[in-house]
């Protein structure tokens, strides 16, 4: 079997090309030890060729997870061919990765994607001259319009690739040659240049891997020091500048720009969508529309049918008739109907809404708008001492908190990374969407602002926490600058969006069939048996006992009864359990009866308080476990979980008790609670000063006293 690696920058069209080449013969999983997605598939026209879709990356530096996965695969696995997917509209940025791939010596073919878009923007690329200058096979394609894909497939099958290494400045080449002489015999001859470049860049990972003697290390250090003195720059910058000098010469000779001063369609759209004043209101409207479609209209139609018909009538009625005909014991019928079907059905009923949400988010991501949101939020985040890089993990967390936490590895500053881990799960993930849909549909069926308010509540918690935490000793210091590329807008490809929707929905359903299934069985057991393992009514069950003990903690939040309390605790296993637990705790019945029971037990604002607490409190066990892996410390994990829970409690307390006062339900407890929470927030966000301000004030006081 031949192995082909598909490599490219993010938003270069690599995934679209992968889907075209492999069709439906794909397997999806995660790379060993990381949560970065792993895709592999057989070439449609030749089943003996396996295509590996490597993570999108801008370089082969070992800083982010994606960069490490891509680099390790190419160096260690040594694929038979690497297909570099290049965005023709941004040739300079994409060729930087191309040069790094050439430096590895891996067999390489360039797939020049979006050539039609480049021509429309006024760029004419001479493919033959580009191929000659790089000494590489170059094939122009349009993955979106499926143009020239067959020619690329022929190049993949033929695999006849030879090229010369790119040569840089003579002084740099001399230094690299001396390093190669030093490491001869330590690495393979065909890898000498790549290892020499990495050692010149002072790549610690490569240095540790080679385990060179002190003598060789000193010789290499002397070469690097001499080069840095000659160039007047550090070694890493020397290599970067050399690559871009090489690229500029290539572009100068192979690219003609006829409309250098003409604004593209993307530029015109960005004037509005990234406008200093309009960007945020537009983003708010977009998110409102997404949740309106997912929670209030289209998604709700599907969920209503699943809840009321599929799990409300067909499956329970059919199962009941079968169980009765088989004369199954009453307790077993209760477990199957009330525990499993009602419990899991209440969660699976939200699948249509979740699929609609992912469909909308997938369209925004594929067309290039989500990159703009990261840019806009970076501007806002910096005003509140947060790194713009923090928004990417938070954006990922809207799907699932686990990969969102893992994505914080791309943040170089240790303090910013730890703080982002602590704040990332404030964003509502797909599991929390079940709680959002339940509360908005039950207590606020005609209010379209409830669902999107959950999203912005998470963002508000992030921003407020950023202001406060940056004032503490643990996280003080300025955030790092955030640099990212804004891809050109393009129509989203249906196959990409649908694959994303199906994969995420499939993951949600699998979770329901494993963790949620086990949780429903456990909760049903606890709600139907006492500590002597005797079958009893819910009023005498273990579940009510546990809930009753802890329920006073949540009484100030408006949902201090045992059912809501055990739902909160079950949510620590998986947030979807909040809904399933409530359904089981309120007993059997249709979805309509369950909704009426909730309305009769809790007020609308108590429901919103329940939503607030579950959105912001400690995440599920899987996310907490990932926090521990990233922190590598129990104390830091407990600090994060404790802080999240405290913020959730205070926010829910303020919302519910303020509503009580507004509705003339005045009591000294309510007044005290509201004033106390407001005082805490004002102190943390306004009065408390950060460490740097305190140092400056102390210095000023010392200067003043000296003068006196």
């Amino acid at each position: 079997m031949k192995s082909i690696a598909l490599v490219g920058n993010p938003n270069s069209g690599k995934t679209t090309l992968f889907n075209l080449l492999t069709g439906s013969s794909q397997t999806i999983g995660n790379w060993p030890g990381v949560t970065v997605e792993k895709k592999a598939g057989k070439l449609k026209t030749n089943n003996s060729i396996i295509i590996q879709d490597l993570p999108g990356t801008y370089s082969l530096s070992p800083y982010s997870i994606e960069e490490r996965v891509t680099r390790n695969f190419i160096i260690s696995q040594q694929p038979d061919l690497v297909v570099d997917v290049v965005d023709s509209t941004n040739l300079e940025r994409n060729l930087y990765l191309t040069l790094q791939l050439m430096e590895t010596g891996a067999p390489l073919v360039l797939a020049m994607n979006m050539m039609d878009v480049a021509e429309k923007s006024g760029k004419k690329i001479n493919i033959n001259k580009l191929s000659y200058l790089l000494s590489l096979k170059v094939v122009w394609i349009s993955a979106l319009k499926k143009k020239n894909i067959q020619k690329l497939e022929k190049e993949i099958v033929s695999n006849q690739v030879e090229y010369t290494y790119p040569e840089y400045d003579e002084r740099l080449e001399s230094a690299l040659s001396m390093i190669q002489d030093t490491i001869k015999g330590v690495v393979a001859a065909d890898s000498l240049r790549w290892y020499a470049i990495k050692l010149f860049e002072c790549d610690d990972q490569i240095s540790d891997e080679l385990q060179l003697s002190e003598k060789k290390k000193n010789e290499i250090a002397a070469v690097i020091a001499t080069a840095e003195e000659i160039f007047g720059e550090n070694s890493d910058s020397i290599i970067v500048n050399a690559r871009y000098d090489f690229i500029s010469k290539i572009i100068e000779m192979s690219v003609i720009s006829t409309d250098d001063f003409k604004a593209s369609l993307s530029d015109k759209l960005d004037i509005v969508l990234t406008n200093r004043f309009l960007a945020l209101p537009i983003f708010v409207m977009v998110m409102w529309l997404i949740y309106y479609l997912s929670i209030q209209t289209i998604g709700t139609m599907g969920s209503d049918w699943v809840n009321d018909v599929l799990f409300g009538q067909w499956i329970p009625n059919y199962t009941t008739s079968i169980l009765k005909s088989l004369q199954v014991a009453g307790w077993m019928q209760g477990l199957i109907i009330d525990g499993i079907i009602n419990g899991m059905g209440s969660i699976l009923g939200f699948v249509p809404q979740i699929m609609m949400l992912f469909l909308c988010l997938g369209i925004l991501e594929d067309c290039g708008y989500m990159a703009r949101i990261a840019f806009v939020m970076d501007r806002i985040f910096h005003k509140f001492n947060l790194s713009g890089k923090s928004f990417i993990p938070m954006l990922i967390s809207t799907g699932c908190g686990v990969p969102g936490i893992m994505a914080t590895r791309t943040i170089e500053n240790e303090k910013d990374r730890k703080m982002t881990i602590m704040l990332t799960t404030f964003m509502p993930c797909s599991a929390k969407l079940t709680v959002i849909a339940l509360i908005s549909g039950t207590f606020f069926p005609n209010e379209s602002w409830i669902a999107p308010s959950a999203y912005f509540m998470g963002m508000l918690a992030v921003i407020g926490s950023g202001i406060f935490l940056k004032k503490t000793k643990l996280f003080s210091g300025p955030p790092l600058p955030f640099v990212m590329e804004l891809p050109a807008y393009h129509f989203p490809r249906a196959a990409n969006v649908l694959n994303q929707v199906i994969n995420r929905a499939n993951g949600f359903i699998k979770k329901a069939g494993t963790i949620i299934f086990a949780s429903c069985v456990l909760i049903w057991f606890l709600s139907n048996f006492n500590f002597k393992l005797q079958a009893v009514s819910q009023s005498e069950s273990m579940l009510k006992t546990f809930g009753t003990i802890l329920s006073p903690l949540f009484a100030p939040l408006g949902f201090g009864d045992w059912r809501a309390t055990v739902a909160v605790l079950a949510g620590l296993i998986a947030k979807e359990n909040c809904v399933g637990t409530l359904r089981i705790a309120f007993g059997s019945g249709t979805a309509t009866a369950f909704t009426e029971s909730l309305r009769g037990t809790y007020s609308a604002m108590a429901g919103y308080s329940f939503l607030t607490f579950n959105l912001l409190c400690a995440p599920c066990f899987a996310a907490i476990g990932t926090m521990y892996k990233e922190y590598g410390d129990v104390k830091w994990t407990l600090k994060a979980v404790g802080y999240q829970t405290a913020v959730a409690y205070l926010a829910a307390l303020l919302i519910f008790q303020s509503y009580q006062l507004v509705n003339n339900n005045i009591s000294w407890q309510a007044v005290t609670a509201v004033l106390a929470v407001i005082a805490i927030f004002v102190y943390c966000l306004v009065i408390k000063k950060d460490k740097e301000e305190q140092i400056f004030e102390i210095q000023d006081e010392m200067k003043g006293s000296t003068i006196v």
Side-chain angles (χ1 to χ4, degrees), residues 452-526:
S453 74
Y455 189 91
F456 292 108
M457 189 190 302
M459 294 182 65
L460 188 63
V462 169
I463 292 172
S465 296
I467 296 172
F468 165 64
L469 293 176
K470 274 293 183 179
K471 296 178 180 181
T472 64
K473 185 178 179 180
L474 290 173
F475 302 106
S476 61
L480 289 178
F482 176 39
V483 180
M484 71 170 296
E485 176 189 354
L486 295 182
Y489 289 104
H490 55 271
F491 283 104
R493 181 167 173 77
N496 290 349
V497 176
L498 289 176
N499 279 339
Q500 187 181 69
V501 172
I502 292 169
N503 289 337
R504 289 182 174 179
N506 187 41
F508 182 84
I509 293 170
K510 282 182 178 178
K511 190 176 179 182
T514 52
I515 298 173
I516 310 301
F517 176 85
S519 299
C520 286
V521 172
L522 176 62
I523 291 164
W524 177 88
F525 173 77
L526 293 174

Side-chain angles (χ1 to χ4, degrees), residues 15 19 117 149 158-159 280 289-290 319 342 358 362 393 403 409 420 430 486 489 572 580 590-591 601 642 649 666 704:
T15 300
N19 292 335
V117 179
I149 304 299
S158 64
N159 197 21
L280 194 57
L289 180 61
I290 287 175
T319 306
N342 281 345
F358 285 144
R409 293 179 182 180
T420 304
S430 59
L486 295 182
Y489 289 104
L572 290 174
T590 63
T601 307
Y649 194 92
I666 299 174

Side-chain angles (χ1 to χ4, degrees), residues 97 169 272 322 326 338 342 414 495 528 668:
L97 176 61
D169 185 286
V272 178
I322 292 177
L326 295 175
D338 300 331
N342 281 345
E414 186 67 13
N528 283 273
W668 68 268

Side-chain angles (χ1 to χ4, degrees), residues 614-684:
N614 283 284
L615 282 177
L616 303 180
C617 77
C620 64
F621 284 162
I624 293 173
T626 308
M627 278 185 186
Y628 171 70
K629 286 182 181 178
E630 293 303 309
Y631 281 134
D633 182 24
V634 174
K635 290 183 179 178
W636 267 102
T637 306
L638 293 176
K639 285 177 184 176
V641 170
Y643 177 78
Q644 292 166 338
T645 305
V647 169
Y649 194 92
L650 290 175
L653 181 66
L654 180 63
I655 288 171
F656 182 74
Q657 294 297 343
S658 297
Y659 181 79
Q660 293 289 91
L661 294 179
V662 170
N663 280 272
N664 293 321
N665 294 325
I666 299 174
S667 65
W668 68 268
Q669 295 96 331
V671 173
T672 304
V674 170
L675 291 178
V677 174
I678 291 175
I680 291 171
F681 284 163
V682 169
Y683 171 77
C684 292

Side-chain angles (χ1 to χ4, degrees), residues 603-623:
S603 67
M605 199 48 62
Y608 195 77
S609 175
F610 179 83
L611 170 62
T612 301
F613 184 82
N614 283 284
L615 282 177
L616 303 180
C617 77
C620 64
F621 284 162

Side-chain angles (χ1 to χ4, degrees), residues 1 146 207 217 243 353 393 406 412 473 540 542 650 670 680:
M1 297 287 281
K146 304 179 182 180
S207 181
K217 286 181 180 179
R243 288 178 182 135
Q353 292 175 323
M406 297 286 284
E412 293 89 354
K473 185 178 179 180
E540 299 174 349
M542 288 184 280
L650 290 175
I680 291 171

Side-chain angles (χ1 to χ4, degrees), residues 16 29 42 83 117 132 154 185 192 256 327 407 415 457 469 471 576:
T16 302
K42 294 180 179 179
V83 177
V117 179
Y132 172 77
K154 288 180 181 178
L192 274 174
I256 300 173
Q327 296 182 342
K415 288 184 177 180
M457 189 190 302
L469 293 176
K471 296 178 180 181
E576 300 95 330

